[in-house]
Amino acid sequence: MSRARGPSLIAGSDEAPEGVHPTNKASRISSPGDVVALAALACGGVVGLALLPAILGVRCVRGLYQAGKKICSKDPVLDPDMAQDCDGIWPFSEKPGGGGAQQFPEGTKRLAGYVKMSDGVRIAVDVLLPPCAQGADGTFHPVPCVVHMARYWRAWEMRWPIRELLNRGEPWDFLLGPWKSALLESGFAVVSADVRGAGASGGVQSVVWSPRETQDTLELIDFIVGVNQPAGRQPWSDGQVALFGVSYDAGAAVRAAAHKHPAVKAVVASFLFGDIWRELFPGGIMNRWFLQSWCNVNSRLDNARLAAIHPFSPLIMKGAAPASSRKQLSRCVSEHRGNWDLMSAAGSIKAIDDPVAIGSGETMTCQNLELFANPLPSLDGKAVLPALAASQLPTLLISGWACVTSGTACAAFSALAGQHWRLLLGPWNHGGVQHVRYCRETKLLKFPKAKAVQEFLLYHMPRQGFAQSSVPAWLASPKPEVHFYVCGASPAWQHSTEWPPKNVVKKQLWLSTSQLTWTKDDLEHEGSTQLPKATASRQLVWGGVSRYSAMIRMMDLVRYKWKASAVAKGRALLFETSVCPTTLAVIGSAVLTLRLRSSKDQDADIFAYLRERPPDGGDLVYITEGALRLSYRREEEAPDHEKAADPHSSDSSMASFGVVPHHSYRRQDIQMLPAEGETTTARLKFFPVAYRFRAGSKIALVIAPDDAAHYAPNPLAGPHPPFICHSTSEQSMLWLPIKEQQLSL
């Protein structure tokens, strides 16, 4: 990417002081809003004290009731695996924890200001300096820098007196504050900037992850290390930079890292979206709930509408931390009104190649956001992830089994991992806040994630005085390694030098009437079951909190509560195996191959859920899911990164049925169901998982016609859905990636 003109410091003025500069701690009451908020909090405190006895009484009664339920329950408190089901039992850490402090280390210095990009847009920047970077006479000692481009505000400014209780009165990053704290403790400077069109930065967001956003990141690195800068390198920078991000911010990090800036020495990408269509339109069905919720959150943040986030937010928060004067902050926020409306664009998309207009006046498709195969001129015709691999940068990828980005992480590692690549796959939701324990209640994260990032960056960007006493064992080998958590029975971390791990192969189960069988001997000569008709019921086969809800409401603990009535009332289909005599580990993406016989409807949706029936015969346990709109069933040859992540089949004669399908999703390939009575094949992929079924349990498959709580309904679904065939001549199969030594079932 050409950067003929470098970034520059903002010319000094009362609205935009020159460059980044030390910040002054805010006075106790600095605005009329502080007075109003303090009065409201005081009134709330009085009311709270008056209601305290009643609140405590209710909590005591509720606690006694819950304790009674546990005593009367069959199993959970006696589960021998429960005490060990902790993601924090990391073989390479002495004890769980190490997630980073809830405030910056004593002596941290915050600089703030605007850096002007080559197109004139002001980018708000915080520079957090550890004590080791500060000299006694006001000078600086150069240290490595970790750059973070923030979509959801680089820091939040709190009102008094709340700010006195949090981070010593300085603005705080509620999403990544603990990570930043851990990096500061290791002697890194943290440079955090709001992306254009967000937070305290100016400009507009013309589209998500625009090329201009990537150029902003590269120009900010230039500013740090002194490229095209008259004043040279910043005095607190030693010229080494790492890129870091979570979710959207991870996309910004890898897109910049792929450009091989000579100052960049490592990249850490957590919960990276690599194929937006297949992650948020799985099976060609739009995850409407998440997209709408995400767009709503962004709009509220971009336009500083705190009350829309939560009615009480304005009482404790002022908004995005200013980079200079409040007048300049207001001016920048006013520019955000021109941001691109993603939801309006998404509503018009019916296929992966449908063009949509973006804020710059150009058009694009979902294919332009794909990181594996979309060639970019700025990368000499390479796509982002192949270019990142070619850069030979040490790369740490992090994702979770309860997150839609797990497939991207597996595929990237399988096909592209080079020396010093590491992949962490935990039992986590998107963002890594929760440990989703599937057959037990979900807990908050215990894994020392911030410490792992700390160790990774210290190893690849060592500095005097902070060298690790010994190389962490998980980083000792230059060969790529994946560390993944196996959930379910005997939960524990495992590691491998490749993905999928050795000895994992696909094994098929045949669908029969309400059954899954390991052999086709039990199939009927003529057998089929009609898919239930779509009902638009918001919670058809489950209740509770889903993996999708927890992508936005990260503190709402994931909990899938099985609704047996869905099957009893004919709203969903259930297929189960006989009892498994031993434990059985499924590692990777399952595939469902369905032979369908048309009825009268032109189209239908399939939502398939892999579940476990526990040994005590209780409610089904959610494990993973897949979906497909049948009109998108047309397949094409899978790209190399998908092939690399797919284990081979144990039955070579039927291997083609178990290969992970790659649907084209192009408009020209949309096919309605054939005429009534004719048959067709449809295959769908499940999100990957690592789960060990318990001995004495049953493998269960639930098939439903819709998930209106999350996904857009199918306008062509009617009262006459197709039949699922499961006979000797027309076979439907569930393919599971299983540890090879367990294939004798």
Side-chain angles (χ1 to χ4, degrees):
M1 177 178 291
S2 175
R3 300 193 303 279
R5 289 184 56 208
S8 62
L9 303 179
I10 297 297
S13 69
D14 57 340
E15 280 87 20
E18 183 176 342
V20 291
H21 53 87
T23 57
N24 296 318
K25 189 174 178 180
S27 57
R28 289 191 172 185
I29 297 180
S30 58
S31 68
D34 285 348
V35 177
V36 174
L38 183 60
L41 289 171
C43 292
V46 171
V47 173
L49 286 173
L51 296 177
L52 185 60
I55 294 172
L56 291 176
V58 170
R59 289 183 66 87
C60 287
V61 171
R62 183 178 296 172
L64 290 171
Y65 172 72
Q66 295 295 335
K69 283 181 65 177
K70 286 187 176 181
I71 292 173
C72 297
S73 64
K74 296 181 180 179
D75 178 47
V77 296
L78 302 177
D79 189 335
D81 285 332
M82 181 174 287
Q84 295 300 315
D85 195 356
C86 176
D87 63 327
I89 303 178
W90 171 239
F92 309 105
S93 181
E94 294 180 0
K95 59 181 180 179
Q102 296 301 315
Q103 62 181 5
F104 297 149
E106 184 75 40
T108 297
K109 189 180 188 68
R110 175 175 172 259
L111 312 178
Y114 283 98
V115 176
K116 192 174 184 179
M117 298 291 105
S118 58
D119 66 348
V121 170
R122 295 172 170 86
I123 298 298
V125 178
D126 279 359
V127 179
L128 304 173
L129 298 177
C132 64
Q134 305 167 44
D137 55 355
T139 58
F140 298 105
H141 301 306
V143 294
C145 301
V146 179
V147 173
H148 164 236
M149 302 300 292
R151 179 64 184 89
Y152 314 109
W153 297 1
R154 74 198 192 285
W156 297 60
E157 185 183 25
M158 312 302 291
R159 293 192 183 278
W160 187 87
I162 302 299
R163 64 170 166 260
E164 300 299 329
L165 307 175
L166 185 69
N167 199 30
R168 302 185 180 91
E170 291 287 351
W172 181 247
D173 183 345
F174 286 96
L175 292 178
L176 300 179
W179 301 62
K180 294 177 180 179
S181 178
L183 293 171
L184 289 165
E185 289 174 355
S186 299
F188 292 104
V190 178
V191 180
S192 193
D194 290 322
V195 300
R196 62 173 55 213
S201 287
V204 298
Q205 186 182 66
S206 62
V207 68
V208 292
W209 297 299
S210 69
R212 180 61 246 191
E213 262 187 39
T214 301
Q215 188 168 343
D216 291 343
T217 306
L218 297 172
E219 291 186 6
L220 181 59
I221 297 171
D222 286 348
F223 168 76
I224 293 169
V225 301
V227 176
N228 297 326
Q229 298 297 301
R233 195 171 67 198
Q234 295 299 310
W236 32 264
S237 166
D238 71 355
Q240 296 184 93
V241 170
L243 290 163
F244 164 76
V246 176
S247 188
Y248 185 100
D249 309 347
V254 299
R255 283 170 169 84
H259 285 78
K260 301 183 183 179
H261 194 293
V264 175
K265 306 302 180 186
V267 60
V268 177
S270 297
F271 304 93
L272 171 69
F273 287 98
D275 189 344
I276 286 293
W277 180 270
R278 289 173 175 81
E279 290 157 339
L280 299 182
F281 291 73
I285 312 172
M286 180 173 69
N287 190 329
R288 185 175 58 182
W289 183 90
F290 170 76
L291 283 170
Q292 185 65 70
S293 300
W294 186 71
C295 291
N296 289 344
V297 168
N298 286 337
S299 176
R300 293 162 186 170
L301 290 175
D302 295 347
N303 296 285
R305 294 188 289 116
L306 289 178
I309 297 173
H310 192 282
F312 292 147
S313 294
L315 298 179
I316 60 175
M317 301 173 180
K318 287 188 174 182
S324 62
S325 70
R326 297 196 180 280
K327 187 175 181 180
Q328 179 63 36
L329 173 63
S330 298
R331 185 176 299 165
C332 287
V333 169
S334 68
E335 296 176 9
H336 302 168
R337 288 195 289 268
N339 280 1
W340 182 56
D341 187 349
L342 183 149
M343 198 60 205
S344 294
S348 66
I349 297 173
K350 303 300 180 187
I352 195 171
D353 56 351
D354 281 352
V356 296
I358 60 176
S360 63
E362 302 171 294
T363 60
M364 61 162 285
T365 71
C366 286
Q367 293 167 310
N368 296 123
L369 300 176
E370 200 254 359
L371 299 184
F372 289 97
N374 178 47
L376 298 179
S378 61
L379 296 174
D380 298 326
K382 291 188 176 72
V384 169
L385 286 174
L388 176 64
S391 73
Q392 300 183 339
L393 279 178
T395 300
L396 173 59
L397 299 176
I398 302 174
S399 189
W401 297 128
C403 177
V404 298
T405 66
S406 54
T408 285
C410 291
F413 184 88
S414 300
L416 301 171
Q419 286 200 335
H420 300 296
W421 275 53
R422 293 295 183 270
L423 170 59
L424 299 180
L425 283 164
W428 306 316
N429 70 318
H430 186 71
V433 176
Q434 305 177 27
H435 172 190
V436 181
R437 303 205 300 172
Y438 297 93
C439 52
R440 307 167 186 94
E441 73 279 7
T442 293
K443 299 289 188 181
L444 293 180
L445 176 89
K446 296 289 186 183
F447 180 77
K449 210 164 27 167
K451 182 179 179 183
V453 173
Q454 202 179 40
E455 291 177 342
F456 183 81
L457 293 181
L458 271 177
Y459 179 68
H460 294 293
M461 291 199 304
R463 57 171 303 272
Q464 189 175 3
F466 281 86
Q468 300 177 91
S469 57
S470 60
V471 177
W474 69 289
L475 299 174
S477 172
K479 294 181 179 179
E481 288 184 6
V482 54
H483 299 265
F484 61 99
Y485 193 86
V486 180
C487 310
S490 304
W493 283 98
Q494 296 185 11
H495 77 277
S496 172
T497 57
E498 58 187 85
W499 188 268
K502 291 180 179 179
N503 302 322
V504 173
V505 296
K506 293 275 187 68
K507 170 70 176 177
Q508 72 266 48
L509 283 159
W510 279 268
L511 276 66
S512 182
T513 304
S514 301
Q515 292 183 330
L516 291 172
T517 66
W518 292 104
T519 68
K520 55 184 178 182
D521 298 339
D522 297 330
L523 296 182
E524 304 165 358
H525 180 66
E526 294 292 337
S528 64
T529 303
Q530 189 169 24
L531 182 72
K533 65 181 181 180
T535 64
S537 174
R538 291 196 60 80
Q539 292 184 321
L540 186 60
V541 298
W542 56 264
V545 179
S546 72
R547 59 160 70 198
Y548 307 118
S549 299
M551 292 174 75
I552 299 293
R553 303 166 184 161
M554 291 186 177
M555 298 305 293
D556 287 358
L557 299 183
V558 172
R559 182 178 66 92
Y560 282 87
K561 183 174 175 58
W562 166 238
K563 288 189 172 183
S565 61
V567 174
K569 294 179 180 179
R571 296 176 181 172
L573 305 178
L574 173 62
F575 303 86
E576 292 185 85
T577 65
S578 57
V579 171
C580 297
T582 61
T583 60
L584 184 146
V586 172
I587 301 175
S589 292
V591 173
L592 180 61
T593 298
L594 295 176
R595 191 66 177 161
L596 301 169
R597 187 175 75 249
S598 287
S599 182
K600 297 179 180 180
D601 290 349
Q602 288 184 298
D603 201 4
D605 292 345
I606 299 283
F607 290 87
Y609 303 90
L610 181 63
R611 295 176 178 259
E612 178 189 38
R613 176 79 72 183
D616 64 2
D619 288 344
L620 294 178
V621 174
Y622 172 92
I623 299 171
T624 186
E625 65 183 78
L628 178 65
R629 181 154 290 172
L630 295 180
S631 55
Y632 291 99
R633 65 190 182 280
R634 177 75 176 270
E635 297 180 28
E636 61 185 9
E637 184 176 358
D640 291 342
H641 63 273
E642 290 189 6
K643 291 179 181 178
D646 193 24
H648 67 273
S649 171
S650 62
D651 186 346
S652 58
S653 65
M654 305 189 73
S656 61
F657 294 100
V659 173
V660 167
H662 182 81
H663 303 100
S664 76
Y665 296 120
R666 288 187 294 269
R667 179 167 287 278
Q668 68 181 31
D669 293 333
I670 294 176
Q671 293 178 316
M672 295 299 108
L673 290 171
E676 183 177 0
E678 295 185 9
T679 57
T680 188
T681 298
R683 304 191 314 124
L684 63 87
K685 171 187 177 182
F686 290 74
F687 290 120
V689 73
Y691 186 88
R692 184 177 287 109
F693 286 82
R694 291 165 284 186
S697 68
K698 297 179 181 180
I699 300 170
L701 172 68
V702 175
I703 297 178
D706 59 7
D707 176 6
H710 302 111
Y711 288 93
N714 189 332
L716 297 179
H720 304 288
F723 289 80
I724 298 174
C725 302
H726 41 74
S727 65
T728 53
S729 58
E730 302 284 358
Q731 302 166 11
S732 295
M733 291 163 280
L734 173 65
W735 293 80
L736 299 179
I738 299 173
K739 276 283 193 179
E740 197 166 24
Q741 60 266 31
Q742 299 169 324
L743 293 181
S744 58
L745 291 167

